[in-house]
Amino acid sequence: MIFTKKYLKLLNYRLKYLRVPCRNATQTTSSECPNAEVKFSNGRNLNITSGKYARFANGTAVCQMGDTAVMVTAVAKPKQAPSASFMPLVVDYRLKGSASGRIPMNFMRRELGPSEKEILSARLIDRSLRPLFPAEFRTETQLVCNMLAMDAVFSPDVLSINAASVALSLSDIPWNGPIGAVRVGLSDGEVIVNPTRRELQTSDLDLVISATKHNLVVMLEGKGNVVLMQDLLKAIKKGTQEAQYIVNEIERLQKANGRTKRPLEPLPTVDEEVSEAVKTMCEMRLRDIFQDQMHDKISRDNAVNAVRTNVIDKVWSSFPHIEPTLIGDEFNKISKNIFRNLIFEENKRCDGRSFDNLRNISCQVDLYKPLHGSALFQRGQTQVFCTVSLDSQESAMKLDTLSALETGLKAKNFMLHYEFPPYATGEIGRIGPVGRRELGHGALAERALLPTLPHNYPFTVRLTSEVLESNGSSSMATVCGGSLALMDAGVPVVAPAAGVAIGLVTKYENNDTKHMKDYRILTDILGIEDYMGDMDMKVAGTRKGFTAIQADLKVPGIPLKVVMESLQKATDAKGKILDIMGEVIREPRKYRKDCWPVTERISIEPQQRVKLIGPSGMNIKRIYLETGTTITAEDETSFSLFAPSEAAMDEAKEQIDALLVKDTIPDLEFGGIYTAKITEIRDTGVMVSLYPNMPPALLHNSQLDQRKIAHPSALGLEIGQEIQVKYFGRDPVSGFMRLSRKVLQSTTAGILRSLNKANENT
């Protein structure tokens, strides 16, 4: 066999860095591969195995809890791209129908593009792992989460975070892990660790916590049903402690079976002389820009860009052998240090605010008459326009099978759609499919507002948030504007909700964030503070408690003390924002708008069901086309009506009354014998009427005579002839009368009933 030079080089690389822990590649057992069992305080276990599957990957791990098992592979290219300026991490998370014994119900009968749930789970994993990658590591890396089995008891997203942590720890990919992730719930004041799907349905809290060793929090994301602050802090503390069990087991596996980490390639930098020249030329000018309170987002960015261009040109002319991109990178590094140091030196921010102050806030509701509800929320230079649309229950969003299996919901009757057009930041861009960032921000705002909506609300609610201007925390502005729009639309919310973003600037050495030298917590951060800072914690809720939280870090973890201080700052700011919102609208609008839709429930007789629906639903379709009113059957005799306005409802009810003209209907006695008049002769039987103005009922051939006949003419029956029939009530499904002439030909006698006399009396 002839081996090419390229193949030998690849083989040498795999032998050096991709050492397979299992001894036999063809015959392996679970006992031969690295495995561990994590035991949590509530008795639930997490099983970890590695080295059995996908051994060509840099790292592979399988995490199982209950009957849910997830395999995660980690693969990184051998060398990083020379022009890489960031960490190109890609996380692919896919829910597979085969993992739960289902076939996807689409045309192709296979998994297609990622769903919203899959994209949100991939973002959750990414945000948990990214802060722990070394700054020097900029090699393209991919994590693939493969669902092996799903039991609809435990969610696979948290298992994927832990499996990714194991895969990266055992691989040769540089990573400062491990981390552990747990989901916590809250029921009757007690914290539940890794709750089941059924427990989550009755839980007041659904919070995912990712933490590394020394109880350092790396990521938070969750939702709650107006959770009190003390309960939220208790849940975060408990989840961080439980995550240490996972971290300890992964560290044990890493010491025994981990591969040697590949050496980090040093980033291209400029020498000290060039660095000093850049600092000398820009430091004073940048300090003046960052201390000028008159600057807004655009003017500050323009001023910094002007300094950057001037410095790069002058330094490059003095050092022509240095690439301009390296000079620009050095300028960015110095600019970031100056911005952060000024916060510690001046104890105030670039716009002159103190650390706890909010930006100027203004609100407005009921902007346009045709809208069911609308609001404009302005906070500093962040402006959001929110609208509410109310529609029938038929407009609820139907979830796909796997999402319904995991969440326990078949449909969503509240949807929040977040839009971030390019003009919001003064840029030109392509407007197309919804991006991952927009999905994530919209889902966060939706989680924040959902607990404030009433249960069994008769309408489907769609809230649209369009960001018109953005300078930090547009998702939390969506929460504020969305709550105002819901109240303007008359939705009976439990309480108004508001949100705020909390930032953090730290000082530490050697990646030791447990022993910080100093830190500052910033309330209501600007876009530049988010970019230059170390944390973006978004907190939303009512005045009473929390409904949503999301914390993203750029440092490898922060102590619980900082998390608790940040939540206290958010609580104080949330109360101030709600006070300002209350000056515009304090509670849901009481008086109706002309454009508001209406819903009503009607009951009819079973025999009238056919007349209302019509052949192939023709009557219902006609009413919808003429009035816009949707008619939905709830059961055999009840229908729900949804109309876009009061006038449309009145018109639809007039048409329904015309269809269901109530004639004088006598009470028919079950088993009674009546005189029926033949109105029509058909191949299948004769149509008869028992009283005037009665819709003819079919008397089938099988009920005409004791003998079997093929056509009514065999009995000599004619139109207008009167015959005796026996009444057996109505069919419970169709509402048609059940009549028989055949039973009267037996020896059993019956009493003849006269309806003509009854009609005369009525």
Side-chain angles (χ1 to χ4, degrees):
M1 181 182 294
I2 300 176
F3 295 97
T4 63
K5 188 175 182 180
K6 182 178 180 181
Y7 177 80
L8 291 173
K9 185 178 180 180
L10 178 63
L11 181 62
N12 181 60
Y13 170 79
R14 292 199 177 277
L15 290 174
K16 185 176 181 180
Y17 292 111
L18 306 185
R19 173 171 52 86
V20 179
C22 291
R23 293 190 292 269
N24 189 340
T26 57
Q27 295 180 351
T28 61
T29 61
S30 59
S31 61
E32 294 176 332
C33 296
N35 61 85
E37 184 179 19
V38 181
K39 296 182 179 180
F40 297 101
S41 60
N42 59 354
R44 288 175 178 158
N45 299 333
L46 171 66
N47 296 313
I48 303 172
T49 58
S50 178
K52 183 178 180 182
Y53 304 125
R55 289 186 291 268
F56 283 165
N58 294 84
T60 306
V62 176
C63 282
Q64 180 172 351
M65 181 173 287
D67 290 328
T68 299
V70 180
M71 180 186 74
V72 176
T73 58
V75 178
K77 287 187 175 181
K79 293 184 179 181
Q80 70 182 34
S83 60
S85 59
F86 63 97
M87 167 57 187
L89 175 65
V90 178
V91 179
D92 287 318
Y93 177 94
R94 302 299 301 274
L95 295 172
K96 295 188 175 181
S98 58
S100 55
R102 302 294 181 92
I103 297 177
M105 296 305 295
N106 53 56
F107 180 76
M108 301 297 294
R109 294 299 188 267
R110 65 179 301 169
E111 288 78 11
L112 301 178
S115 64
E116 180 178 346
K117 171 63 178 175
E118 292 168 332
I119 292 174
L120 296 177
S121 298
R123 285 172 54 89
L124 184 74
I125 300 166
D126 184 299
R127 292 172 17 238
S128 299
L129 304 174
R130 189 179 290 272
L132 280 83
F133 280 97
E136 301 83 6
F137 184 70
R138 296 181 179 179
T139 304
E140 189 173 349
T141 306
Q142 183 183 33
L143 298 173
V144 178
C145 305
N146 189 355
M147 305 298 127
L148 301 180
M150 291 173 57
D151 62 358
V153 177
F154 294 102
S155 179
D157 53 2
V158 174
L159 294 179
S160 299
I161 299 176
N162 292 316
S165 176
V166 178
L168 289 170
S169 298
L170 299 183
S171 72
D172 66 315
I173 301 173
W175 190 59
N176 298 324
I179 64 167
V182 296
R183 172 176 265 112
V184 294
L186 186 68
S187 181
D188 298 328
E190 296 295 326
V191 178
I192 307 172
V193 180
N194 292 321
T196 63
R197 181 176 61 86
R198 187 178 295 273
E199 289 173 338
L200 274 179
Q201 291 176 353
T202 58
S203 172
D204 291 329
L205 180 66
D206 180 2
L207 178 65
V208 177
I209 304 167
S210 297
T212 185
K213 56 186 177 181
H214 306 308
N215 290 323
L216 297 178
V217 177
V218 178
M219 193 278 305
L220 295 172
E221 178 163 314
K223 59 183 179 180
N225 186 18
V226 191
V227 178
L228 300 179
M229 182 174 177
Q230 59 266 29
D231 291 334
L232 179 63
L233 296 178
K234 180 171 65 173
I236 294 175
K237 184 177 181 181
K238 179 67 172 177
T240 306
Q241 294 172 350
E242 294 289 329
Q244 301 308 302
Y245 296 126
I246 304 174
V247 172
N248 295 336
E249 287 298 326
I250 297 177
E251 284 186 329
R252 184 183 64 80
L253 284 176
Q254 186 178 14
K255 290 178 181 178
N257 305 280
R259 298 165 181 165
T260 304
K261 297 296 183 182
R262 67 177 72 170
L264 290 171
E265 299 181 19
L267 298 177
T269 57
V270 299
D271 54 35
E272 187 175 348
E273 183 181 4
V274 177
S275 177
E276 191 63 30
V278 173
K279 184 176 181 180
T280 302
M281 295 182 63
C282 72
E283 183 173 13
M284 294 306 299
R285 285 189 283 178
L286 287 177
R287 291 179 69 91
D288 291 341
I289 293 172
F290 292 147
Q291 288 180 296
D292 188 352
Q293 303 176 15
M294 301 305 294
H295 276 307
D296 60 9
K297 173 185 171 64
I298 301 299
S299 64
R300 186 183 298 110
D301 290 348
N302 291 338
V304 172
N305 289 332
V307 175
R308 176 188 288 108
T309 303
N310 180 263
V311 170
I312 291 175
D313 290 342
K314 290 185 177 180
V315 173
W316 190 36
S317 63
S318 302
F319 302 92
H321 62 283
I322 302 297
E323 290 288 336
T325 55
L326 295 180
I327 301 174
D329 292 342
E330 186 65 23
F331 176 88
N332 294 338
K333 188 187 303 182
I334 294 173
S335 176
K336 183 176 182 179
N337 290 334
I338 292 173
F339 183 88
R340 294 165 64 93
N341 289 334
L342 280 173
I343 292 177
F344 290 100
E345 294 171 7
E346 303 295 330
N347 278 325
K348 63 180 182 179
R349 297 146 78 171
C350 62
D351 58 356
R353 287 184 295 152
S354 66
F355 299 141
D356 298 336
N357 280 4
L358 298 169
R359 290 173 284 175
N360 294 330
I361 296 176
S362 62
C363 312
Q364 187 179 355
V365 297
D366 196 15
L367 279 79
Y368 300 100
K369 289 185 177 180
L371 302 179
H372 296 162
S374 60
L376 183 70
F377 183 83
Q378 179 97 35
R379 178 160 51 193
Q381 287 185 294
T382 297
Q383 185 184 71
V384 174
F385 177 61
C386 295
T387 62
V388 171
S389 302
L390 305 176
D391 212 322
S392 66
Q393 291 285 1
E394 295 297 310
S395 301
M397 180 181 176
K398 307 298 187 296
L399 299 180
D400 60 275
T401 305
L402 294 180
S403 297
L405 184 67
E406 184 177 353
T407 60
L409 298 175
K410 293 183 178 180
K412 288 170 55 177
N413 66 343
F414 174 64
M415 299 161 284
L416 192 150
H417 295 156
Y418 171 95
E419 300 175 6
F420 194 95
Y423 60 76
T425 53
E427 299 173 352
I428 296 174
R430 186 175 181 180
I431 299 179
V434 181
R436 289 173 173 253
R437 178 184 177 277
E438 290 176 299
L439 280 176
H441 281 50
L444 173 62
E446 182 179 300
R447 291 196 300 269
L449 292 174
L450 181 60
T452 66
L453 267 68
H455 297 289
N456 300 323
Y457 191 55
F459 300 109
T460 296
V461 182
R462 181 183 184 236
L463 197 157
T464 303
S465 170
E466 185 171 357
V467 181
L468 306 181
E469 301 173 2
S470 178
N471 187 16
S473 187
S474 58
S475 61
M476 293 298 96
T478 296
V479 175
C480 301
S483 182
L484 292 171
L486 288 171
M487 290 189 288
D488 182 56
V491 179
V493 296
V494 176
V500 67
I502 305 296
L504 177 69
V505 181
T506 61
K507 283 186 177 181
Y508 61 93
E509 291 181 352
N510 301 323
N511 282 335
D512 184 11
T513 55
K514 180 176 176 60
H515 304 94
M516 292 182 181
K517 289 185 175 182
D518 202 359
Y519 64 90
R520 296 288 187 272
I521 298 174
L522 312 178
T523 300
D524 187 19
I525 56 176
L526 299 169
I528 191 173
E529 292 171 336
D530 183 11
Y531 178 74
M532 300 286 195
D534 298 323
M535 180 184 75
D536 180 13
M537 177 185 285
K538 301 179 178 71
V539 181
T542 64
R543 198 179 298 273
K544 182 179 178 181
F546 297 90
T547 57
I549 181 173
Q550 183 182 93
D552 298 331
L553 299 176
K554 300 177 186 176
V555 295
I558 57 175
L560 284 170
K561 174 187 174 184
V562 179
V563 174
M564 295 180 180
E565 289 183 19
S566 301
L567 288 175
Q568 183 60 55
K569 300 281 188 183
T571 302
D572 298 338
K574 179 160 54 75
K576 297 177 183 178
I577 298 171
L578 288 171
D579 290 338
I580 298 174
M581 293 168 54
E583 296 174 1
V584 177
I585 182 170
R586 289 188 173 274
E587 58 184 11
R589 191 178 298 278
K590 299 298 183 182
Y591 63 87
R592 288 187 52 83
K593 294 183 180 181
D594 294 336
C595 63
W596 280 0
V598 291
T599 183
E600 193 171 320
R601 192 169 181 268
I602 62 171
S603 297
I604 62 174
E605 297 295 331
Q607 67 272 15
Q608 295 177 317
R609 179 186 177 93
V610 177
K611 297 179 67 175
L612 174 60
I613 297 176
S616 301
M618 183 179 64
N619 293 341
I620 290 180
K621 294 176 183 177
R622 190 184 75 251
I623 293 174
Y624 174 75
L625 292 175
E626 293 180 359
T627 68
T629 302
T630 304
I631 303 176
T632 305
E634 294 182 350
D635 52 40
E636 297 297 333
T637 60
S638 300
F639 289 80
S640 64
L641 276 62
F642 173 86
S645 65
E646 192 75 44
M649 176 65 77
D650 293 339
E651 184 179 354
K653 290 172 68 175
E654 288 179 4
Q655 294 192 21
I656 293 174
D657 292 340
L659 289 172
L660 306 179
V661 177
K662 292 187 177 180
D663 300 321
T664 305
I665 302 176
D667 293 331
L668 302 179
E669 181 181 349
F670 187 91
I673 302 174
Y674 299 96
T675 300
K677 186 176 182 180
I678 300 176
T679 60
E680 182 183 354
I681 296 178
R682 298 182 178 180
D683 292 340
T684 56
V686 295
M687 303 296 293
V688 298
S689 59
L690 305 186
Y691 51 86
N693 298 326
M694 168 189 161
L698 176 66
L699 181 58
H700 197 265
N701 287 336
S702 61
Q703 299 297 325
L704 282 174
D705 198 84
Q706 294 282 355
R707 296 165 294 176
K708 185 177 181 180
I709 62 173
H711 194 274
S713 60
L715 299 176
L717 299 177
E718 298 178 354
I719 296 177
Q721 181 179 347
E722 292 185 349
I723 58 176
Q724 304 297 318
V725 296
K726 194 168 187 177
Y727 175 72
F728 290 101
R730 292 182 179 271
D731 187 274
V733 177
S734 63
F736 294 153
M737 284 187 180
R738 295 184 294 190
L739 305 173
S740 177
R741 177 175 177 265
K742 176 176 66 175
V743 296
L744 298 179
Q745 297 175 350
S746 63
T747 56
T748 305
I751 302 175
L752 177 63
R753 310 291 181 181
S754 174
L755 288 178
N756 293 330
K757 185 177 180 180
N759 291 334
E760 293 173 1
N761 294 334
T762 57

